[in-house]
Amino acid sequence: MKVLVIGGGAREHALCRSLSLDPDVSALYCAPGNAGIAEVAELRPVDALDGAAVAALATELGAGLVVVGPEAPLVAGVADAVRAVGIPVFGPSAEAAQLEGSKAFAKDVMAAAGVPTARSYVCTTPEEVDEALDAFGAPYVVKDDGLAAGKGVVVTEDLAAARAHALACDRVVIEEYLDGPEVSLFAITDGVTVLPLQPAQDFKRALDGDEGPNTGGMGAYSPLPWADPKLVDEVMELVLQPTVDELRRRGTPFSGLLYAGLAITGRGTRVIEFNARFGDPETQVVLARLQTPLASVLLNAARGTLDAEPPLRWRDDAAVTVVIASHNYPETPRTGDPIEGLAEVAAEDGPDAYVLHAGTRREGDAVVSAGGRVLSVTATGSDLAEARDKAYKAVARIRLDGSQHRTDIAAKAAERP
């Protein structure tokens, strides 16, 4: 089977890496890709937001499966365009992708499905914003209703900062603060059958100790030694299956990757948000642990035959990923800086540690930074402590002027008995 992956970040590199190891994949393409993905897939240029262009490329390549990685193409209807030319595609329709594209839509779906989540208000005027902020009090949680690349959420004790963020958005969701640790749980679905993956935890804040501004994610780990063993079954019953059933009832079946961002609160598990695609950087650690070949699972979801897929098999190993970001991220990052040490990681640390590229491009013989999050250094080990040690040893080999990374990814989880 020929597979075309759409996107060019570390999530897509992780997907391509897994698909490149799958014996069912005879040819692997990525559009537009990046410097690292070029080592495992053939790159093709494309405007990832242009559904007609993506469909034409998939047809030209004779692709038997298209995997849409990022959220923006999904919300733009790229999966619909590919389906319209008869090619199986892993990714929801534009209408179903509103589960991520509009937080207000997601709240409405959760209310109808009885899914536990934070109480909230949808606000479009300064008066509504002030009323909502006053109703919930600090800490204030203010979410841009639309796509914001993982950086549209402000959680703060500062009323002025919360109000400023709200007024900078056309429409916002203001909700009660959910205490407790956060968990990311992915599920593959064909609109009827739901197949959960292993949970992970990511780190949104830019700095150690969960300080600094929100980012798209600075690292992740899996498994979660502190989590209730029944967590996945509970989320399947209370969140994932009811959400998929409700979307199907509305005539907008969700086929693809349903991502539930969860808070484990003192009052039980609550949904913070939904995403309509694999999360980044959690994908890097979840796929590092997946033993089942990926292509058939994604194809069965795209074809509506996921019920034929046997139970997923997982490695016992733990996985940790650490994001190396550009100078000034998450503000406007500096780009064009040479990246050194990639060959050293491959020679000294592989195969248990490897580098997944996010914002990179090739200039002649050099690989240079081309975005805010530049690399995801990923490692596996017998437990989190070993995986973490391998990941940070590999991080130390990377040289990128002005770069930044957190030093505490999975630290607390690795210390737990």
Side-chain angles (χ1 to χ4, degrees):
M1 172 174 53
K2 296 180 179 180
V3 180
L4 169 63
V5 176
I6 302 300
R11 164 186 46 228
E12 288 75 36
H13 194 174
L15 287 164
C16 285
R17 181 179 182 273
S18 292
L19 290 166
S20 71
L21 301 173
D22 191 324
D24 290 336
V25 176
S26 58
L28 180 60
Y29 305 93
C30 187
N34 61 41
I37 295 174
E39 298 177 5
V40 295
E42 182 179 328
L43 302 190
R44 293 297 181 97
V46 78
D47 179 354
L49 297 177
D50 186 336
V54 172
L57 176 61
T59 301
E60 173 195 335
L61 296 174
L65 174 66
V66 174
V67 180
V68 183
E71 61 273 20
L74 292 169
V75 172
V78 168
D80 301 276
V82 176
R83 284 194 186 93
V85 297
I87 298 174
V89 57
F90 183 80
S93 66
E95 201 169 1
Q98 285 302 305
L99 202 62
E100 176 170 3
S102 169
K103 291 176 176 60
F105 175 80
K107 288 289 187 181
D108 185 61
V109 170
M110 284 188 273
V115 171
T117 186
R119 293 178 296 120
S120 64
Y121 294 104
V122 179
C123 305
T124 57
T125 68
E127 293 76 19
E128 290 174 345
V129 166
D130 290 339
E131 289 177 10
L133 292 173
D134 182 63
F136 288 128
Y140 303 101
V141 181
V142 184
K143 299 180 177 181
D144 189 339
D145 183 51
L147 293 178
K151 291 171 283 188
V153 179
V154 166
V155 181
T156 179
E157 298 276 352
D158 187 336
L159 175 59
R163 190 172 189 274
H165 180 67
L167 297 181
C169 306
D170 292 332
R171 184 161 82 152
V172 294
V173 173
I174 296 176
E175 62 184 39
E176 67 175 327
Y177 176 75
L178 296 176
D179 64 336
E182 296 184 11
V183 174
S184 300
L185 183 60
F186 303 163
I188 293 171
T189 179
D190 59 4
V192 178
T193 301
V194 181
L195 199 62
L197 306 186
Q198 290 291 301
Q201 186 175 64
D202 76 330
F203 295 75
K204 289 292 187 188
R205 299 286 187 169
L207 307 177
D208 284 3
D210 292 327
E211 299 289 337
N214 255 5
T215 72
M218 295 299 291
Y221 69 93
S222 180
L224 312 182
W226 50 267
D228 188 328
K230 298 178 182 178
L231 175 64
V232 174
D233 291 339
E234 176 193 346
V235 176
M236 269 290 293
E237 179 183 352
L238 298 179
V239 176
L240 298 172
Q241 193 69 59
T243 300
V244 169
D245 292 345
E246 172 61 20
L247 287 167
R248 187 176 68 254
R249 186 193 66 78
R250 293 177 176 221
T252 56
F254 188 104
S255 172
L257 194 289
L258 178 57
Y259 167 148
L262 309 165
I264 313 302
T265 78
R267 295 178 291 130
T269 301
R270 298 287 186 271
V271 174
I272 300 171
E273 65 177 357
F274 282 125
N275 291 329
R277 39 69 192 182
F278 279 101
D280 184 345
E282 299 98 320
T283 299
Q284 289 86 300
V285 293
V286 172
L287 292 187
R289 301 185 58 226
L290 180 64
Q291 197 166 12
T292 299
L294 185 62
S296 67
V297 184
L298 303 186
L299 183 61
N300 276 327
R303 285 178 169 171
T305 55
L306 196 58
D307 59 342
E309 186 68 33
L312 298 178
R313 292 176 288 115
W314 297 92
R315 297 182 177 89
D316 292 332
D317 288 353
V320 172
T321 193
V322 179
V323 170
I324 297 177
S326 292
H327 174 74
N328 203 44
Y329 178 78
E331 302 301 323
T332 304
R334 191 176 76 200
T335 61
D337 290 312
I339 303 168
E340 300 178 336
L342 298 173
E344 294 174 31
V345 174
E348 301 294 334
D349 302 300
D352 292 340
Y354 48 88
V355 179
L356 298 169
H357 291 227
T360 69
R361 68 175 184 270
R362 186 167 287 281
E363 289 186 356
D365 293 334
V367 175
V368 302
S369 61
R373 292 186 295 174
V374 181
L375 305 169
S376 284
V377 180
T378 305
T380 57
S382 59
D383 56 23
L384 284 174
E386 183 179 14
R388 187 174 183 277
D389 183 58
K390 291 178 179 179
Y392 278 105
K393 282 183 177 177
V395 166
R397 301 186 196 278
I398 303 295
R399 297 177 295 281
L400 172 61
D401 186 47
S403 67
Q404 55 178 308
H405 66 272
R406 285 184 56 159
T407 65
D408 62 347
I409 303 300
K412 290 183 179 178
E415 293 171 358
R416 293 175 185 267

